[in-house]
Amino acid sequence: MSSNVDTNIVMLKTAHKLDKLPEARITPAAKLIQDYLLEQMQLCLKDLFENADDLLFEIAEKAGSGSEQARYFDAMRGLRVRRKIIDAQFASKVREQVSDCLNKVLNDAAGLKERTVELGIVDNDQMERAVAIESMAAKAIDASGDAWLSFRERLNQVLPVKSYSKNECPLSPYQFGDSFFSSIDFDDWDMKVKLILFKLYDHHIGKQLPEMYFEANEKLRDQGILPDLDISHLRSRARRPAINANYLQNLMAASRGEGSLDMERGQQNGWQGDSMPVTGGAGFQAAYLMPNLNQLQQSVVSTSSNLPVAPAELKQWSQNITQQVLESAKSPIDSDIINLVAMLFEFILEERDLLPQMKQLMARMQIPIIKVALLERSFFDDNQHVARRLLNIMTRSAVGWQADERIDEDPMLAYMEDIVTRLTKEFDDDLQIFHEELQKFESFLDEYQHKRVIYEARLTTAEVQRYEEEKQRDWAREFLNEVLDVAVIPEAIQKLLSTHWYKVLYHTYSRHGEGDQWRNAKRVVTELVWSLQPGVTTHSRERFFAVTPKILLALRKGLTALKLDNGEISRWMSMIDDLHLQEISKHEAPKPEVTRQFQKVQHELKQAQIKPASSFEPEPEPVVPESVDYLARARSLQQGLWYELLQMNGKWLRCHLLTVLGDGERFIFTDRTGEKVADRSLYGLATAMANGKFRQIDDQPIIDRALDTVIDQLSSQAV
């Protein structure tokens, strides 16, 4: 909270006032968790303050000017004075957010509407703050994994709020980050100082959140809150715990019929204990393989420009590499490790969520990863192994990547190309190179993400404003008024369009937005009006007879969807038939061929099995199978995840769900740069799901998923 007066007085009063929030409405279990998390965070804040003092002093000493030096020394002194204030304000803000959440429930129950927030241009400081909080929260949620998902589900049971937007969930990383930023938002500290403190918050608290959520889950489970919770439906794919290397070795032997599948004792082929030998012993044993591996690695470098892109050819290339390495292997254990890595890369090359260019890059990593696995067999059982982390972060970054006409200028592809090139050229047996590349790639991604978040923040503001403006407009009425003000048509047809067809237009726009259904419903109006213009059969006779049956079939379908009486629908259709016949008769003698054409039109209208062209079909009701609640599935889509959407041109579009507007009415999707690429209604998405035109992309760590698949395959062979 900003203050430009004596903070020792005003801020303490403010904090005291916030402590008086109505916590009595919080359930005992929710208050227990709230107090536990605050207690842990306030312990971390002590370390933060001590480190902040040293860091600000260092920065001040290195400052390039006297004014800049004074800024950081003043901030350092101010922080010493304000520690208790920040601590109290942080706790109060967290409690306030929980209380606001409860008040929202009471207001909704009482039928009160939230007041509309006036939207405006976001200034640079606000943008920097939003980006910092968003980035910290995303990393914390990603690192927390199942612990966060379980905590969120259990929290839903102890707080009377069942639906949150991405940033509204109380006690979430985003809310904690926002609370901390609010507690340091003093007017005499500029944004640079605040961002320094927030980075320290990220280090001292953000990185501790996974453990805090894990402990909070245990406390909620002890309280009897969802003790048997299953969150597999909340993830793209259920994952196993960390996998022991000895477990994999045992499976390999058992699948060949060379050992018993005794996982409890972990014994096979003379190995005993919790894991296979790691760095050191394994490296010496595999040393004889290194010359051949180095030679193969260099051959990959020299032939990388000719590496196949087609999936089948790339897979064959990978198998050939594996076979060449196996020919040099003398130890069954080394052969098993080589085969395990080959199976992992087979999974990667078959992954449908990776595009061919990215698969080609990953394939070139096979030899370096074989060397890593031979040197450090902990690669298989340590999900924090540096090479494994680099592979996972590269493949996860590739999920949202889509080739376009500017592929040669693509920064993501170019950066990943540089990583692979350096590893294949320089990696011998020192894994420090993986640490260096991982650190550089994470820095690149932070900058890349920073730009994307800024674009998306601006886009979200613009889309919310546009959505609120559109809600106030009656687009159906505006369109009809625009057409009917200039149209020369009988009064009865004007009544038909302004009453019944207005309802079709209104419901179509409400449910589908400015999509194909809306355009088709409008086209029925314009084509019907055109068909009733004087002289139309003289000037456009061929088009008249081609278009008329399609217009009238679409018109009948729309009126039927409104559940009008069949008799009334027939009267409307007969009236239009008569008007068309009068037009034909007025401008030319009723020649036999004209009569036959008109009779053909009437015949087509009576044939229910004749389907009109799709361009004339408004769809007031989406075609959604009753057996599956696709609307509920569409409502449950998670912001921040990646999806694929089939476009009108038959190509799949990779998109990231940025935000959901209204009460789950409008879904805004962006690409990996933060630019808007799709805008869909709830009904439009449900229909796409039902027709197999929309699916979620699995962005869970690919090595974890690959190991799951390998274990399933080996287990089935070993049985």
Side-chain angles (χ1 to χ4, degrees), residues 637-676:
L637 294 181
Q638 296 183 45
Q639 297 176 48
L641 296 185
W642 285 91
Y643 300 90
E644 271 195 328
L645 180 66
L646 187 62
Q647 303 175 94
M648 295 286 288
N649 61 9
K651 295 182 179 179
W652 285 93
L653 172 70
R654 297 195 167 199
C655 48
H656 166 265
L657 180 54
L658 171 63
T659 189
V660 181
L661 303 177
D663 188 18
E665 297 170 8
R666 188 77 62 80
F667 296 74
I668 306 298
F669 296 90
T670 59
D671 62 13
R672 58 196 167 87
T673 66
E675 292 189 14
K676 178 180 173 182

Side-chain angles (χ1 to χ4, degrees), residues 308-562:
V309 178
E313 295 178 10
L314 193 59
K315 186 176 178 181
Q316 184 61 51
W317 178 89
S318 174
Q319 291 171 350
N320 292 340
I321 289 289
T322 302
Q323 189 58 40
Q324 292 180 61
V325 179
L326 284 173
E327 288 173 359
S328 303
K330 300 175 182 178
S331 162
I333 294 175
D334 292 337
S335 296
D336 285 348
I337 291 173
I338 294 165
N339 278 317
L340 277 172
V341 174
M343 295 174 77
L344 296 183
F345 274 86
E346 182 179 358
F347 177 90
I348 291 172
L349 297 182
E350 291 178 350
E351 175 62 46
R352 68 164 291 180
D353 292 331
L354 291 179
L355 294 182
Q357 293 87 346
M358 290 298 178
K359 288 182 180 180
Q360 187 191 59
L361 273 179
M362 295 300 106
R364 290 161 55 190
M365 296 274 283
Q366 185 169 346
I367 295 295
I369 296 301
I370 288 176
K371 292 166 72 173
V372 168
L374 288 168
L375 290 164
E376 294 193 358
R377 296 173 189 175
S378 59
F379 171 81
F380 294 109
D381 55 17
D382 181 8
N383 58 16
Q384 292 301 307
H385 189 283
V386 62
R388 186 161 159 179
R389 286 176 60 199
L390 181 60
L391 264 182
N392 277 331
I393 196 172
M394 288 176 69
T395 51
R396 190 167 191 177
S397 300
V399 163
W401 185 86
Q402 191 154 11
D404 57 27
E405 64 277 3
R406 297 172 298 173
I407 189 171
D408 293 336
E409 303 172 8
D410 189 284
M412 179 70 73
L413 184 62
Y415 205 97
M416 293 174 68
E417 170 74 33
D418 290 344
I419 293 173
V420 174
T421 299
R422 187 186 176 207
L423 289 175
T424 52
K425 282 185 176 181
E426 301 179 21
F427 175 52
D428 185 11
D429 58 5
D430 185 359
L431 269 70
Q432 180 60 30
I433 191 172
F434 281 89
H435 288 280
E436 293 170 1
E437 290 304 313
L438 176 63
Q439 185 177 11
K440 288 192 293 184
F441 192 45
E442 286 180 331
S443 297
F444 167 79
L445 289 178
D446 283 344
E447 183 179 351
Y448 197 88
Q449 173 75 1
H450 183 271
K451 293 177 181 177
R452 183 166 72 90
V453 170
I454 289 176
Y455 292 151
E456 290 184 338
R458 291 171 178 161
L459 175 62
T460 300
T461 300
E463 289 295 327
V464 170
Q465 188 166 7
R466 176 171 171 261
Y467 175 77
E468 292 298 331
E469 289 173 353
E470 287 182 354
K471 281 179 62 177
Q472 307 303 318
R473 297 181 63 176
D474 188 341
W475 292 96
R477 183 60 66 195
E478 286 187 23
F479 167 73
L480 281 175
N481 288 343
E482 182 181 346
V483 173
L484 298 180
D485 283 349
V486 297
V488 181
I489 55 175
E491 186 177 342
I493 301 302
Q494 287 204 22
K495 180 180 178 182
L496 167 67
L497 294 176
S498 61
T499 55
H500 298 315
W501 201 253
Y502 162 76
K503 295 177 183 177
V504 173
L505 288 165
Y506 182 84
H507 291 301
T508 300
Y509 187 86
S510 298
R511 292 178 175 177
H512 299 283
E514 296 178 348
D516 292 335
Q517 292 87 347
W518 169 247
R519 287 190 290 272
N520 294 338
K522 291 198 300 180
R523 188 170 180 183
V524 170
V525 175
T526 56
E527 296 288 8
L528 178 60
V529 170
W530 171 82
S531 73
L532 295 173
Q533 296 308 296
V536 68
T537 55
T538 301
H539 303 293
S540 306
R541 174 179 160 184
E542 184 176 345
R543 185 175 188 274
F544 175 86
F545 285 107
V547 167
T548 300
K550 298 172 185 177
I551 300 171
L552 298 182
L553 281 170
L555 188 64
R556 180 182 290 276
K557 181 178 179 180
L559 296 177
T560 302
L562 294 177

Side-chain angles (χ1 to χ4, degrees), residues 62-244:
K62 296 177 181 178
S65 65
S67 60
E68 190 177 1
Q69 188 177 65
R71 173 204 301 162
Y72 291 116
F73 276 132
D74 288 344
M76 182 182 68
R77 287 188 288 267
L79 182 62
R80 292 171 182 172
V81 173
R82 292 165 170 166
R83 286 186 180 186
K84 292 183 179 179
I85 298 171
I86 294 171
D87 200 330
Q89 180 66 14
F90 174 71
S92 298
K93 185 65 177 176
V94 171
R95 294 191 182 101
E96 179 186 5
Q97 288 171 339
V98 175
S99 181
D100 287 346
C101 174
L102 294 168
N103 289 332
K104 181 178 183 297
V105 175
L106 294 177
N107 290 341
D108 290 346
L112 300 176
K113 300 292 183 182
E114 293 185 0
R115 58 191 178 90
T116 302
V117 178
E118 184 177 349
L119 297 169
I121 298 174
V122 180
D123 64 33
N124 289 334
D125 283 357
Q126 290 175 311
M127 187 70 71
E128 290 284 355
R129 169 178 172 154
V131 168
I133 297 173
E134 184 78 28
S135 177
M136 180 281 301
K139 288 189 290 186
I141 288 175
D142 187 51
S144 300
D146 290 355
W148 162 251
L149 294 176
S150 300
F151 175 76
R152 189 184 64 186
E153 291 302 297
R154 289 191 170 98
L155 189 68
N156 280 342
Q157 302 298 312
V158 298
L159 282 177
V161 182
K162 303 303 177 186
S163 177
Y164 310 108
S165 72
K166 182 174 67 171
N167 298 331
E168 285 182 345
C169 181
L171 306 180
S172 67
Y174 186 92
Q175 292 283 352
F176 285 134
D178 183 66
S179 296
F180 181 76
F181 225 118
S182 296
S183 70
I184 62 171
D185 196 12
F186 298 98
D187 285 346
D188 57 341
W189 285 354
D190 65 14
M191 184 52 66
K192 287 184 178 179
V193 172
K194 295 171 188 175
L195 288 175
I196 289 170
L197 294 177
F198 191 77
K199 285 183 179 179
L200 286 171
Y201 167 87
D202 187 4
H203 179 75
H204 289 278
I205 294 182
K207 292 185 178 180
Q208 300 301 317
L209 283 174
E211 184 177 347
M212 293 183 193
Y213 285 132
F214 179 84
E215 294 298 331
N217 267 310
E218 294 299 308
K219 292 181 180 296
L220 287 169
R221 186 186 288 114
D222 292 343
Q223 293 286 316
I225 308 300
L226 300 179
D228 302 316
L229 175 63
D230 177 14
I231 60 167
S232 59
H233 66 289
L234 299 175
R235 314 189 213 108
S236 300
R237 178 185 173 98
R239 291 178 305 217
R240 292 179 174 86
I243 298 167
N244 187 275

